[in-house]
Amino acid sequence: MIPTRFEYVAPRTAADVVAALDGESRLLAGGTWVVPEMGRAESRPRRVVDLRRAGLATISVEGSRLRLGAMCTYSDLLSSEDVTRHAPLLRTMASGVTGGSALRNQATIGGSVAAARPQSDVPATLVALRADAVVAGPAGSRRVPTAELFLGAGRTTLAVDEVITGFDLPSERMSGHGYVKLKRGGSSWPIVTAAALLRLDDDGRCETAHLVLGGVEAVPMTVDLTIMLGRPLGDQELDVAAARTVAALSAPWTDVLAPGDYRAAVAAPAARRALAMARANVGVTEGERHGRRPDCP
Amino acid sequence: MDDDLTALEITVNGKRRSATVDRRELLIEALRNRFGVTGPKIGCLTGDCGACTVRLDGLITKSCLRIAVAEDGAEIETLESMSTNGLTGLQESFWDNNAFQCGYCLSGMLFAAEDLLDHNPTPDEDEIRQAISGNLCRCTGYDAIVTAIKRYAERVAESDRRQ
Amino acid sequence: MEVGLRTAGKSVGRPVRKHDGDAYLTANATYTGDIVLPGTVYAALVRAPLAHALIRSVSTAAAEGATGVIAVVTGEDMIPWCDEIPHGLDAGHLGGHHSAVFPLAVEKVVYAGEPIAAVVATSEADAHAACLMVEVDYEPLPVLLDVESALAADAPILYPAWAENVLIEGHVGNDDFAEVARTAPHVLEGELRTHRGTAAPMEPRTYLADWDAGRQHLTLYASTQNPHVLRTVLAAAMRLREDQIHVVAPKVGGSFGLKMYGSREDFIAPVLARMVGRPVSWVEERAASLLPAAREQVLSYRVAFDDDGGLLALDVEALTDHGAAAPTHGWAMAYVGALSTGLGYAIEHCHVHYRVVVTNKAPWSGTKPFGKDGATLLLERIMERVAAATGVDAGTVRRRNFVAPSAFPYRHTSGLELDSGDYAAALDQTLEILSHERLRADQARLRAQGRYLGIGLGFELMPESADIPGGFVAAYDTSTVRMSPSGRVSVLTGVTSPGTGSDTGICQLVADELGVALDTVSVVQGDTDTCPYGFGNISSRSLVTGGNAAVLAARDVADKIRAAARALLRADYDEPVLIEDGIARLTRDPSRSVSVVEAARAVYTRSYELELDVEPHLESTRTYRPSNIREVPDALGRMQTYTTYPYAVHASVVEVDVETGVVTLLRHVATHDCGTVVNPLMVDGQVTGGVVMGLGAAFSEELVFDDDGIPLTTGFKTYLLPRAVDVPRVELGHLCTPAPGTPLGAKGVGEAGFAGALAAAFNAVNDAVAPLGARLDRTPLSPIAIMRALREARR
Ligand SMILES: Cc1cc2nc3c(=O)[nH]c(=O)nc-3n(C[C@H](O)[C@H](O)[C@H](O)COP(=O)(O)OP(=O)(O)OC[C@H]3O[C@@H](n4cnc5c(N)ncnc54)[C@H](O)[C@@H]3O)c2cc1C
Ligand code: FES
Ligand code: FES
């Protein structure tokens, strides 16, 4: 039950969506976050702009880039062969989202990014994948690296009259990925997530390495792993990466489920495990990957 | 007040129906208050308990996370539709195995179980636990629900093998 | 009152499925929220945003003018319509303090979320919208959020008339610890802290009240555990006669204590309905239904024991963080905790000093398993510590201290009298299911690899079916059995079933007594106009009280069927008749028989013709009153207030990830004894449900407040209930020692599982981290707490 009154519109194009937006409007994607918020009267928009009919749920591959519509749900990611092939990290991430398939059928990646909850799975994952957000506004469309989108808990660089229409990311076909999520049980939102992507050259040396943690700070935290490049990935290197994770932390996030000191304490093991998993995943075919439970290292 | 009211036309359990709803109403509220179904329940209104689960255009969904007017034209199935030809095998299995006590979670659990079996007819215990973990049950401790789903799936697989 | 012991009949003892399961499966089971009355209006509450404050003024004008609003009612407005809420158990009559609580707060709020005004409107949305427009001017007062600050010498006093922040205190047992300790080989001290949790049934409290101004009559549909008693207290506070009120409890979506009668929430809809003269629906929002609480105690203990781990004396100082005062029985959980401390162990000197402290949180409210959880956890923690101190194996320590089967009846120092059981046998069975020795070997092996497995035991003994002298909690209850001329049987009973299945059990019992098929019997519950006065569903009593009463009543009816059968068969008045499968036949000549239906019809229609020597109706109302309750206090002031004593021995196996504090529950075993099992399906369901609830309490469920006392756990994303993925399949073992005091031999099972699971999990985690020198002395066992303990150990 939503106490406050609002007008409801469901535009057919992104341009019409933008036209409907102003300081008193609220975008509605899957609604899994915004509807309960309106129910608690924490949000009291005058106009609800439903994205569902604006055609933003497509998934496609163009060249070596994967294009995801903002309205893709977790289920869409799970059932897409393109995602499995080019960004299996997204698949692993989506398979661990709680709420059951009912929730995964409904909640969107655009909504998760725009909501910018520090604990959410999607933001740090997309940052690790170096995804650009495609943002439509009154002046047209712009691209923003997701890493630059987040300003703080619940805050992004999006203007009130802007909408994310999709994401555009490089294929990670050749990488191994790791995803580790620590939480307090099946009812719990993530406490800390670590997304890792590794590519090795033919000699087993690290060609690219990306590690982004969610939940440890107000925004996704990227750990600079440049020093690992060109080196073989032994346990020692993973220890170095874990140490860099700790060094990268400045202001650990605190919420009711876990205080900052806990997040800080588990960031390094989470990072290390994600990298270890990515290392083990390098060169693993999609079929093999499917048979595994990626979330238990 | 009247400007908040609007017409909503949806198919509920196979029947095309229309009703006047308040724009602020959630789908679960419209279903219960305007379309007279009682199978889906309200347990939290935050998407966490799954008591409000229904099938919408073929996919299961938590109907408390939807605004009713946004669903104009949708096809919705609730617990009421499940037993139009008598109890289903899955329902019988829930009953036989005492998979519900107070019954408040029952509708959601049945939909979650159906959805699982649609995608994976021979789930193992872990897969069943995963599949019903979007739904809360405070009474049973879940074992009976898991058993009910497992035994039903095994029975179906067994009879498929025989055929 | 001997009814004779029985273990299995045609349906008793069998895994019969829920008698009305098809109604649930087809969406035909009606819950309060499913009932629609024409003209219904909706209530919503304005709740205090501060934990302690004076209400300077409430401005309702804006809300009154809002769309759809019918009435805005403040605490003051309601006073002429509703007196102070009657107490379930008034601490003021028992040496503590009385508190006056009204449905809506008056003058002052004492916890965040306390209702201070109500809006009634034509839609739920409009009612809630108008709540946002009620302006309240508060004068903040200092808040008390824990027992230590509430007991500090300079603490502000929450209820000034009391001059202290202690609602009530008392002593249970004999206070002679110091004397015993002087000569005892060992003495240990410690402190255990439990955290705040709540019942959280899936259906929130739901009410639909219909006031008929013409008849001056109230009909209340309520998700309540105790419809009759609710009517009694509603009548008292609303100054109505009981016959002006009809309470109906339709299907209830779980209760676990939350829906016990007499909370302020029970009065909201009825009083508003009378004020506005229209049916009023009120459903508690989820955030509010997570306010009522249980647990959160500080238990300081001293224990004296010998070299073999035999306990010589125990002394406990139990501080309860009750939250604000309330009219419910909530505080009695502290008393029951004291009564059951040490129960099941033969400790000659056992003393508990309990103090119930008020703070600025929402009050304690009866919650499964009603305070026995803290006592269980404490003793099971102590057993482990004694084992560690003496080097005796933890199972052996328990075995040494268990009350032996030969010692029954055994009177505990608190006065409770244990009647039966074999605790050591339950322990043996649990260890066997566990393959305990092999598991210990695995544990050692894994530790060498840096993996930390923990195994923990938990013995629970739950006094059940309580009686409170002078209170509306009784060890007895009443059932009517009625057979129609066509042989259909209805049982009308004073007990209720919030899904637990006692109604199915009652059907089984009655079907067997009457020798009829199960599906000819139906149960009517939860209706004050049709059912005999009764006390509803609390304290695992429904089957023991309502079931035994139904058995007695069914026997009366069966006797008449026999009389009619003899008359129809022209047999002698003393000819034995056996009723089975719907047929009454002469025991000595089974070829001579009539159907039960024929006999029933004859009772109603052929009384003169057959010269029947019985009153020509097939109905009996009987009360089963257990014989083992004694409420005349002995010289030490002790009473025996519980009917049955079911118990269980649990074992939890966990793995602790010492890098993250994350616990994986690998196994949980429980061997349970609830005496005669009427329906194993239902019993297993109760135990398993209780275990998972106890595991939730152990690991993840916690009510959290900020520094100002504002609740932060307002939904299921923060109050973390266990889900199917969090728990292993519960492995059950069974023992059966029938309760000698009761006819069926059945013991309560409604609170089973919780306390032992909590204790076993607690001990398992401690066992896992012990090699690292870490120790947890508080719940919950969150990854955060575990990491803290590990960090402290490293220091
Ligand atoms: C039961 C449950 C379980 C959950 N479990 C998890 C979990 O395990 N992990 C996790 O990370 N999250 C979880 N969530 C959160 C959920 O994933 C996010 O709420 C969801 O992804 C948000 O998507 P949505 O489409 O529902 O967003 P909405 O609620 O529709 O919108 C969220 C916000 O984003 C804005 N918005 C939406 N789309 C756009 C857009 N395209 N451009 C600009 N702004 C936009 C909206 O205006 C709103 O402010 C859970 C939620 C629930 C209810
Ligand atoms: S009511 Fe919809 S998920 Fe709980
Ligand atoms: S049966 Fe009561 S919540 Fe599942």
Side-chain angles (χ1 to χ4, degrees):
Chain A
M1 167 262 334
I2 297 171
T4 51
R5 299 185 148 67
F6 56 87
E7 171 198 358
Y8 169 85
V9 292
R12 302 258 161 193
T13 66
D16 289 347
V17 167
V18 171
L21 293 175
D22 60 28
E24 294 190 309
S25 63
R26 191 87 195 267
L27 282 164
L28 174 72
T32 61
W33 182 257
V34 74
V35 171
E37 214 174 55
M38 287 171 66
R40 293 187 297 264
E42 286 164 14
S43 170
R44 306 177 192 179
R46 288 276 176 82
R47 183 184 309 126
V48 167
V49 182
D50 192 342
L51 283 172
R52 203 147 30 126
R53 301 191 200 256
L56 300 175
T58 52
I59 297 180
S60 64
V61 178
E62 275 166 52
S64 63
R65 306 216 31 117
L66 181 64
R67 300 256 159 97
L68 305 170
M71 289 296 287
C72 286
T73 62
Y74 297 106
S75 297
D76 292 336
L77 298 182
L78 288 169
S79 59
S80 158
E81 284 182 19
D82 289 336
V83 169
T84 304
R85 194 168 306 127
H86 296 283
L89 171 61
L90 280 177
R91 187 192 163 82
T92 304
M93 178 279 294
S95 70
V97 167
T98 60
S101 70
L103 194 281
R104 292 193 292 272
N105 288 340
Q106 186 168 349
T108 68
I109 53 173
S112 179
V113 167
R117 307 294 309 157
Q119 324 86 321
S120 290
D121 283 288
V122 177
T125 307
L126 285 179
V127 173
L129 287 162
R130 280 115 45 239
D132 289 338
V134 183
V135 177
S141 187
R142 64 180 176 114
R143 294 165 75 95
V144 200
T146 41
E148 291 165 23
L149 200 63
F150 302 102
L151 292 177
R155 290 191 303 127
T156 65
T157 61
L158 292 176
V160 292
D161 52 2
E162 285 188 313
V163 55
I164 303 173
T165 53
F167 301 93
D168 180 333
L169 45 145
S171 168
E172 287 289 351
R173 245 189 126 154
M174 307 310 289
S175 303
H177 79 277
Y179 194 69
V180 167
K181 171 150 66 174
L182 299 177
K183 39 187 220 162
R184 295 183 55 182
S187 280
S188 159
W189 272 41
I191 305 290
V192 168
T193 63
L197 288 157
L198 291 174
R199 200 155 68 205
L200 305 185
D201 64 17
D202 294 342
D203 302 326
R205 274 190 284 262
C206 187
E207 223 169 43
T208 60
H210 299 281
L211 173 65
V212 180
L213 279 83
V216 295
E217 293 199 328
V219 298
M221 184 182 87
T222 302
V223 182
D224 181 357
L225 296 182
T226 321
I227 58 157
M228 285 172 66
L229 301 182
R231 290 163 58 171
L233 276 186
D235 288 349
Q236 246 177 342
E237 279 70 24
L238 298 193
D239 291 340
V240 169
R244 292 196 67 89
T245 305
V246 176
L249 250 171
S250 55
W253 172 252
T254 287
D255 65 22
V256 57
L257 291 185
D261 66 341
Y262 175 78
R263 290 169 199 266
V266 298
R272 198 182 188 288
R273 290 174 192 187
L275 287 167
M277 184 177 152
R279 183 179 62 182
N281 255 337
V282 176
V284 174
T285 65
E286 285 123 37
E288 283 171 337
R289 202 180 275 127
H290 276 190
R292 293 190 192 184
R293 302 255 323 255
D295 49 349
C296 38
Chain B
M1 181 179 133
D2 282 347
D3 52 321
D4 286 309
L5 298 180
T6 172
L8 174 67
E9 192 171 318
I10 52 177
T11 303
V12 182
N13 297 327
K15 284 204 194 80
R16 191 98 191 138
R17 311 252 314 261
S18 67
T20 303
V21 301
D22 187 318
R23 213 168 276 128
R24 296 170 295 173
E25 260 168 62
L26 303 172
L27 178 58
I28 179 70
E29 295 167 329
L31 286 171
R32 291 179 55 88
N33 301 340
R34 315 279 176 178
F35 293 93
V37 301
T38 58
K41 305 288 182 204
I42 295 176
C44 68
L45 294 182
T46 51
D48 295 295
C49 75
C52 64
T53 307
V54 300
R55 200 182 281 279
L56 186 145
D57 293 336
L59 294 179
I60 62 167
T61 190
K62 293 177 176 175
S63 60
C64 71
L65 296 177
R66 292 181 183 269
I67 296 171
V69 291
E71 305 309 330
D72 202 36
E75 285 197 25
I76 292 165
E77 285 161 67
T78 67
L79 177 62
E80 277 86 350
S81 72
M82 222 176 256
S83 48
T84 35
N85 301 311
L87 296 182
T88 64
L90 182 66
Q91 287 179 308
E92 288 283 354
S93 190
F94 265 62
W95 193 2
D96 290 342
N97 290 289
N98 201 32
F100 52 99
Q101 290 180 19
C102 79
Y104 210 70
C105 66
L106 176 61
S107 163
M109 286 292 181
L110 284 167
F111 276 111
E114 272 195 353
D115 181 72
L116 165 70
L117 297 172
D118 285 349
H119 294 97
N120 176 1
T122 54
D124 63 23
E125 169 138 0
D126 275 352
E127 289 167 330
I128 296 173
R129 286 184 182 271
Q130 282 289 346
I132 61 168
S133 273
N135 300 62
L136 288 168
C137 173
R138 193 55 160 166
C139 301
T140 62
Y142 304 107
D143 283 357
I145 300 172
V146 175
T147 305
I149 298 171
K150 191 137 195 292
R151 291 205 177 139
Y152 170 70
E154 283 165 0
R155 226 183 11 256
V156 172
E158 177 64 26
S159 73
D160 284 353
R161 236 192 330 274
R162 282 219 204 91
Q163 277 165 19
Chain C
M1 196 179 307
E2 265 315 302
V3 191
L5 214 69
R6 50 182 317 165
T7 47
K10 282 269 165 193
S11 59
V12 168
R14 296 186 203 291
V16 169
R17 59 187 195 170
K18 231 176 165 55
H19 74 103
D20 52 354
D22 48 347
Y24 291 86
L25 288 161
T26 55
N28 284 308
T30 303
Y31 300 75
T32 301
D34 299 336
I35 298 169
V36 183
L37 296 177
T40 295
V41 292
Y42 301 84
L45 299 180
V46 179
R47 294 179 179 276
L50 298 173
H52 196 194
L54 294 175
I55 304 172
R56 280 218 205 95
S57 66
V58 183
S59 161
T60 56
E64 274 159 7
T67 312
V69 170
I70 289 167
V72 182
V73 175
T74 67
E76 301 277 357
D77 298 338
M78 213 182 241
I79 286 183
W81 300 83
C82 183
D83 294 339
E84 189 188 317
I85 297 171
H87 280 253
L89 195 57
D90 193 343
H93 296 164
L94 297 160
H97 299 290
H98 173 77
S99 56
V101 180
F102 295 88
L104 300 174
V106 183
E107 287 170 13
K108 182 167 142 164
V109 295
V110 280
Y111 61 92
E114 184 169 9
I116 67 120
V119 173
V120 181
T122 48
S123 80
E124 220 176 335
D126 283 332
H128 281 272
C131 282
L132 301 169
M133 298 179 200
V134 174
E135 283 163 40
V136 189
D137 184 15
Y138 293 102
E139 180 180 327
L141 296 170
V143 295
L144 292 171
L145 296 175
D146 58 68
V147 288
E148 283 88 352
S149 12
L151 292 176
D154 57 349
I157 302 299
L158 268 188
Y159 299 91
W162 302 1
E164 60 172 345
N165 287 322
V166 177
L167 169 66
I168 187 168
E169 67 180 303
H171 293 265
V172 170
N174 35 354
D175 187 6
D176 47 10
F177 183 85
E179 221 169 291
V180 182
R182 216 176 307 125
T183 56
H186 307 275
V187 174
L188 261 180
E189 294 185 16
E191 185 188 273
L192 185 68
R193 283 171 181 259
T194 60
H195 67 283
R196 216 169 181 80
T198 188
M202 283 300 105
E203 177 203 42
R205 288 185 282 202
T206 307
Y207 304 82
L208 176 60
D210 186 11
W211 173 255
D212 181 335
R215 282 202 301 143
Q216 293 284 296
H217 183 272
L218 176 75
T219 304
L220 176 67
Y221 302 92
S223 60
T224 179
Q225 293 171 231
N226 330 81
H228 281 99
V229 189
L230 178 55
R231 182 180 66 169
T232 301
V233 295
L234 280 175
M238 294 175 71
R239 285 183 238 131
L240 293 169
R241 300 184 315 268
E242 277 185 79
D243 58 83
Q244 286 177 285
I245 303 179
H246 177 197
V247 177
V248 181
K251 296 291 185 217
V252 173
S255 51
F256 316 111
L258 180 69
K259 296 169 183 172
M260 198 166 166
Y261 78 90
S263 64
R264 70 188 328 162
E265 287 77 7
D266 280 342
F267 292 77
I268 302 287
V271 176
L272 290 174
R274 194 175 177 194
M275 290 176 78
V276 303
R278 288 177 68 171
V280 171
S281 155
W282 181 65
V283 183
E284 190 169 49
E285 322 89 283
R286 178 50 68 184
S289 82
L290 294 175
L291 289 171
R295 298 182 283 283
E296 192 159 38
Q297 290 184 295
V298 182
L299 304 167
S300 311
Y301 57 91
R302 295 182 296 164
V303 56
F305 52 100
D306 63 26
D307 294 336
D308 299 329
L311 262 57
L312 304 171
L314 174 64
D315 183 55
V316 180
E317 184 71 32
L319 288 178
T320 290
D321 186 340
H322 183 272
T328 66
H329 299 78
W331 73 263
M333 291 191 284
Y335 172 64
V336 170
L339 274 185
S340 42
T341 298
L343 198 64
Y345 293 117
I347 312 171
E348 260 174 66
H349 307 271
C350 186
H351 169 251
V352 182
H353 175 213
Y354 66 92
R355 275 186 290 169
V356 181
V357 179
V358 287
T359 58
N360 292 113
K361 298 176 188 165
W364 263 25
S365 158
T367 301
K368 168 177 174 166
F370 212 81
K372 302 159 216 170
D373 36 351
T376 300
L377 181 64
L378 177 67
L379 259 290
E380 295 311 291
R381 177 76 195 126
I382 288 174
M383 288 296 151
E384 297 294 321
R385 289 200 64 199
V386 168
T390 54
V392 179
D393 157 77
T396 310
V397 168
R398 288 181 174 82
R399 244 180 235 111
R400 291 225 164 108
N401 289 291
F402 278 148
V403 173
S406 57
F408 297 118
Y410 176 88
R411 176 163 251 208
H412 184 57
T413 48
S414 67
L416 300 189
E417 196 170 282
L418 301 176
D419 53 7
S420 60
D422 189 342
Y423 312 142
L427 174 60
D428 291 343
Q429 197 177 126
T430 291
L431 294 178
E432 196 188 312
I433 296 173
L434 206 57
S435 300
H436 185 240
E437 276 169 29
R438 202 170 59 220
L439 210 55
R440 284 286 177 201
D442 289 348
Q443 181 184 38
R445 192 169 41 75
L446 288 168
R447 269 183 194 164
Q449 301 168 13
R451 289 180 59 185
Y452 293 87
L453 223 63
I455 305 163
L457 294 175
F459 165 62
E460 67 175 37
L461 199 162
M462 300 284 109
E464 295 299 7
S465 236
D467 195 273
I468 299 179
F472 285 101
V473 169
Y476 39 86
D477 220 302
T478 305
S479 298
T480 297
V481 171
R482 180 185 293 160
M483 189 184 275
S484 73
S486 60
R488 305 292 306 181
V489 182
S490 331
V491 186
L492 301 96
T493 171
V495 301
T496 55
S497 166
T500 49
S502 57
D503 45 348
T504 299
I506 290 173
C507 284
Q508 291 173 261
L509 292 167
V510 168
D512 277 10
E513 289 302 333
L514 291 171
V516 297
L518 193 60
D519 62 6
T520 58
V521 185
S522 60
V523 173
V524 182
Q525 306 177 300
D527 187 320
T528 56
D529 275 8
T530 45
C531 298
Y533 196 98
F535 302 90
N537 178 268
I538 37 164
S539 194
S540 298
R541 65 191 298 280
S542 300
L543 191 86
V544 171
T545 57
N548 278 314
V551 166
L552 297 174
R555 285 182 188 173
D556 291 346
V557 172
D559 282 345
K560 287 194 187 175
I561 294 290
R562 284 193 192 91
R566 277 191 288 264
L568 288 164
L569 296 169
R570 316 242 178 271
D572 283 348
Y573 74 96
D574 56 353
E575 185 78 31
V577 175
L578 181 74
I579 318 178
E580 222 177 37
D581 299 328
I583 309 286
R585 52 180 96 241
L586 301 186
T587 313
R588 289 194 287 239
D589 181 3
S591 68
R592 292 169 63 197
S593 69
V594 294
S595 72
V596 168
V597 177
E598 225 177 310
R601 201 180 156 86
V603 172
Y604 284 106
T605 59
R606 299 171 67 185
S607 180
Y608 293 112
E609 175 199 346
L610 295 172
E611 297 183 299
L612 278 183
D613 197 16
V614 293
E615 287 174 22
H617 74 130
L618 287 172
E619 176 164 330
S620 169
T621 298
R622 296 288 296 270
T623 299
Y624 168 66
R625 196 181 80 127
S627 53
N628 62 341
I629 303 285
R630 282 190 306 280
E631 287 175 351
V632 181
D634 70 4
L636 296 170
R638 304 180 304 182
M639 297 183 292
Q640 150 51 26
T641 49
Y642 284 88
T643 312
T644 67
Y645 294 93
Y647 61 94
V649 175
H650 296 245
S652 259
V653 185
V654 302
E655 179 169 357
V656 177
D657 176 345
V658 298
E659 279 188 342
T660 63
V662 172
V663 178
T664 307
L665 267 156
L666 300 173
R667 289 179 67 192
H668 191 91
V669 177
T671 301
H672 185 258
D673 184 352
C674 61
T676 307
V677 171
V678 174
N679 186 329
L681 261 188
M682 306 295 155
V683 165
D684 289 1
Q686 289 300 296
V687 180
T688 305
V691 164
V692 170
M693 213 182 235
L695 294 175
F699 292 105
S700 61
E701 294 177 29
E702 182 182 17
L703 295 174
V704 182
F705 300 80
D706 73 7
D707 292 344
D708 299 319
I710 310 303
L712 299 176
T713 36
T714 52
F716 294 136
K717 283 189 182 63
T718 41
Y719 190 77
L720 306 175
L721 299 185
R723 292 181 186 262
V725 282
D726 295 320
V727 286
R729 178 169 285 275
V730 179
E731 301 165 61
L732 295 176
H734 291 288
L735 282 179
C736 176
T737 53
T742 72
L744 290 167
K747 305 176 186 183
V749 70
E751 293 183 310
F754 185 110
L758 169 65
F762 190 79
N763 286 335
V765 169
N766 266 299
D767 182 51
V769 298
L772 297 168
R775 190 171 112 187
L776 289 102
D777 280 313
R778 56 169 68 205
T779 60
L781 304 156
S782 68
I784 295 104
I786 291 170
M787 286 299 275
R788 250 176 221 153
L790 289 167
R791 204 163 51 227
E792 273 158 30
R794 274 196 295 272
R795 266 199 206 120

